Amino acid sequence: MTLAAAGPEGAGAAADPGQLARHPAKNPGAPRPLYCIWEITLRCDLGCKHCGSRAGKARTSELTTAECFDLARQLADVGVREVVLIGGEAYLRDDWHLIAGEITRLGMICGMATGARSLTAERISQATDAGMRSISISLDGLEASHDAQRGVKGSWRAAVDACSRVAASPIRLTTNSQVNRISLPELPALADLLVEVGSRAWQVQLSVAMGRAADRPDLLLQPYELLELFPLLVWIQQEKLRPKGILLFPGNNVGYFGPYEHELRYGGEDGAHWGGCPAGQWAMGVEADGQIKGCPSLPTSVYGGGSVRETRLAEIIANAPELRVIRERTIADLWGFCRTCYYADTCMGGCTWTAHSLLGRAGNNPYCIHRATELEAQGLRERIVKVEAAPGLPFDHGRYELALEPLPPPGETPSVGGVPLNRLMALGPKSGGAWTKAELDERLRPR
């Protein structure tokens, strides 16, 4: 699993977003990691078609229990406020609840993000005993779509059942979803499902051209499809989520500025806005073998800053150039559209993970609503085209290129993601999905 670029929202551990202890606004001064996403094992019981880490088997040399306890102490020492455990699937590690308990004992908030295929009542009880504050369960569409993306029939039902079990426990239930060409038209019905299962917050993030998703270009949104996504998210926020008290948290690759920022960004109603990639600044990631990155989803070969088996965490954070590169980025490091953008000095090219995975280097990110609307005003749009395959390793990527082309005239029938609007609005939480099996197979076919 990659819970990428989760920013100050993450798994939403706080019952009130104004009380997010790890939010930068609550912590003035120089940037420092407040939030850590920790992959404690790469072992997984799903086979997700969009998995950036290509999870399945455990890493050959994952940290021992004692090493995990030591790292937890180091996280507390450097000032981390919240830790989210991920995998693979975190609960497949026998000592996962002991690690969670140690994090809690040291005064940090502990949460978990999970596909929940086997999140049993016993495991929820273990999480409760460990002091875990939140569990974020992945729901990537309605039943057929979710199962097709997750690679296991019955995974949607298992996740929905686990949602109900968590919601009935002392642990706060939150949810997270990949947004791609399969899930896009199902988002309104998925929002209704979140109301039914008792989710308190929903993080959405774009599927990124990393790992298994890099092999499937037909799964990825095209940049111009943000023109459909953003007004849809605003409508969902206003009509379905806010009236039910569910918080919407767009991930850090759902950006940036443009006419919807105040409605969608955390704190937007109070004037807050996107403030740049938090990787290595306010956030950090840990791989199961102790490798440290500024964000758990960044390509390890480029952004891995060293292992805690060899170097103390505080030294890696302070000195590793792989972690410093983002917090020291300047406009001179930007290129393409982002170099000339009005928001360049604040945005700094948006999500590093998204841009690097797509184009082979950071600093130019086409997944930007401001950029899409600016091009739309000129009668243009950008399209991504795969030109180089990924090698097949965890956190790998191939290479895509951008094609600038005329914006075609609108179709006669209003649609979202190719699904007519009237059919989209007719979808319900239990309706199975917007796609036939043949359509799902085609979107998920490696190319």
Side-chain angles (χ1 to χ4, degrees):
M1 168 180 286
T2 50
L3 194 69
E9 300 87 27
D16 176 357
Q19 302 303 314
L20 286 173
R22 56 185 159 85
H23 194 275
K26 302 283 185 182
N27 297 273
R32 61 200 186 280
L34 302 172
Y35 178 49
C36 174
I37 301 180
W38 184 355
E39 169 208 285
I40 59 173
T41 181
L42 202 58
R43 184 183 171 197
C44 194
D45 53 8
L46 294 169
C48 301
K49 303 298 192 295
H50 46 56
C51 181
S53 62
R54 300 183 186 268
K57 296 181 179 180
R59 295 182 187 274
T60 56
S61 185
E62 297 186 344
L63 297 179
T64 65
T65 304
E67 287 174 322
C68 287
F69 279 22
D70 180 61
L71 178 54
R73 287 189 290 273
Q74 292 186 63
L75 290 169
D77 288 346
V78 300
V80 167
R81 302 290 185 86
E82 181 173 348
V83 180
V84 174
L85 302 181
I86 65 168
E89 190 57 81
Y91 59 64
L92 293 180
R93 185 171 163 139
D94 291 341
D95 59 356
W96 70 275
H97 58 294
L98 303 178
I99 297 169
E102 183 67 4
I103 291 166
T104 300
R105 188 188 69 80
L106 290 166
M108 296 175 284
I109 295 169
C110 184
M112 180 169 67
T114 171
R117 181 185 175 190
S118 302
L119 187 58
T120 61
E122 180 184 0
R123 284 175 167 144
I124 294 171
S125 178
Q126 288 177 313
T128 302
D129 292 344
M132 192 169 281
R133 291 270 296 277
S134 70
I135 293 179
S136 181
I137 294 178
S138 300
L139 291 168
D140 292 335
L142 301 180
E143 184 168 9
S145 298
H146 177 99
D147 284 1
Q149 291 182 77
R150 292 279 161 177
V152 176
K153 188 172 179 58
S155 59
W156 181 85
R157 172 49 57 193
V160 170
D161 289 347
C163 282
S164 298
R165 285 194 289 271
V166 173
S169 79
I171 298 174
R172 185 170 186 259
L173 170 67
T174 70
T175 42
N176 65 85
S177 299
Q178 295 274 327
V179 179
N180 50 48
R181 298 186 76 194
I182 290 175
S183 65
L184 174 59
E186 298 182 356
L187 293 178
L190 187 54
D192 291 335
L193 176 63
L194 304 186
V195 174
E196 286 189 8
V197 299
S199 179
R200 302 285 300 281
W202 187 24
Q203 179 176 309
V204 294
Q205 65 180 45
L206 304 183
S207 295
V208 169
M210 171 176 272
R212 297 189 192 120
D215 306 334
R216 295 170 168 83
D218 287 349
L219 176 63
L220 306 173
L221 286 185
Q222 288 290 345
Y224 57 81
E225 290 180 296
L226 298 188
L227 297 170
E228 298 177 354
L229 171 64
F230 272 73
L232 181 64
L233 286 177
V234 169
W235 181 81
I236 290 171
Q237 166 92 302
Q238 294 174 343
E239 300 297 324
K240 293 179 178 289
L241 302 180
R242 193 173 287 154
K244 298 296 184 179
I246 300 174
L247 304 173
L248 176 65
F249 290 126
N252 287 333
N253 69 353
V254 181
Y256 303 93
F257 299 100
Y260 308 103
E261 185 79 356
H262 69 287
E263 278 286 347
L264 295 179
R265 194 66 54 194
Y266 171 78
E269 68 279 4
D270 298 320
H273 55 76
W274 168 253
C277 180
Q281 303 191 77
W282 303 107
M284 60 173 287
V286 182
E287 293 184 355
D289 58 2
Q291 183 70 216
I292 303 299
K293 299 188 290 189
C295 164
S297 300
L298 288 169
T300 310
S301 59
V302 179
Y303 295 97
S307 172
V308 292
R309 281 184 165 139
E310 301 166 358
T311 309
R312 300 298 287 177
L313 178 62
E315 183 177 342
I316 294 173
I317 292 171
N319 300 321
E322 294 86 356
L323 271 71
R324 288 174 25 221
V325 64
I326 297 171
R327 61 179 179 258
E328 295 176 358
R329 182 179 293 161
T330 70
I331 292 178
D333 298 311
L334 307 184
W335 57 286
F337 184 99
C338 289
R339 178 67 177 266
T340 63
C341 180
Y342 174 81
Y343 298 106
D345 59 345
T346 300
C347 183
M348 288 295 171
C351 173
T352 302
W353 166 54
T354 303
H356 194 115
S357 299
L358 188 71
L359 302 175
R361 61 178 173 132
N364 185 26
N365 184 355
Y367 286 99
C368 167
I369 188 60
H370 167 69
R371 179 165 169 165
T373 55
E374 288 285 295
L375 292 172
E376 181 187 32
Q378 303 171 45
L380 300 171
R381 72 181 191 182
E382 286 180 306
R383 182 166 51 87
I384 59 170
V385 181
K386 184 178 177 179
V387 295
E388 184 179 323
L393 303 171
F395 298 104
D396 65 348
H397 60 88
R399 187 169 60 85
Y400 286 70
E401 290 182 348
L402 296 175
L404 188 64
E405 59 190 22
L407 190 69
E412 294 183 3
T413 303
S415 64
V416 173
V419 174
L421 200 56
N422 60 349
R423 188 154 70 90
L424 178 152
M425 296 303 294
L427 291 172
K430 305 297 194 318
S431 59
W435 310 102
T436 66
K437 183 179 185 304
E439 289 170 330
L440 290 170
D441 290 345
E442 183 65 16
R443 286 280 167 90
L444 291 169
R445 185 162 63 90
R447 301 181 192 278

PDB file of all heavy atoms in Angstrom, residues 5 165 300:
ATOM      1  N   ALA A   5       1.867  10.972   0.026  1.00  0.00           N
ATOM      2  CA  ALA A   5       1.727  12.406   0.136  1.00  0.00           C
ATOM      3  C   ALA A   5       0.519  12.780   0.964  1.00  0.00           C
ATOM      4  O   ALA A   5      -0.277  13.608   0.593  1.00  0.00           O
ATOM      5  CB  ALA A   5       1.629  13.022  -1.252  1.00  0.00           C
ATOM      6  N   ARG A 165     -17.225  -2.802  11.660  1.00  0.00           N
ATOM      7  CA  ARG A 165     -16.637  -3.253  12.935  1.00  0.00           C
ATOM      8  C   ARG A 165     -15.824  -2.134  13.585  1.00  0.00           C
ATOM      9  O   ARG A 165     -15.890  -1.938  14.807  1.00  0.00           O
ATOM     10  CB  ARG A 165     -15.761  -4.487  12.694  1.00  0.00           C
ATOM     11  CG  ARG A 165     -16.543  -5.763  12.458  1.00  0.00           C
ATOM     12  CD  ARG A 165     -15.646  -6.979  12.567  1.00  0.00           C
ATOM     13  NE  ARG A 165     -14.720  -7.081  11.452  1.00  0.00           N
ATOM     14  CZ  ARG A 165     -14.977  -7.718  10.306  1.00  0.00           C
ATOM     15  NH1 ARG A 165     -16.151  -8.302  10.119  1.00  0.00           N
ATOM     16  NH2 ARG A 165     -14.074  -7.778   9.348  1.00  0.00           N
ATOM     17  N   THR A 300      12.428   5.005  -4.130  1.00  0.00           N
ATOM     18  CA  THR A 300      13.508   4.790  -3.167  1.00  0.00           C
ATOM     19  C   THR A 300      14.878   5.026  -3.787  1.00  0.00           C
ATOM     20  O   THR A 300      15.790   5.545  -3.126  1.00  0.00           O
ATOM     21  CB  THR A 300      13.425   3.367  -2.603  1.00  0.00           C
ATOM     22  OG1 THR A 300      12.089   3.117  -2.158  1.00  0.00           O
ATOM     23  CG2 THR A 300      14.377   3.179  -1.432  1.00  0.00           C
TER      24      THR A 300
END
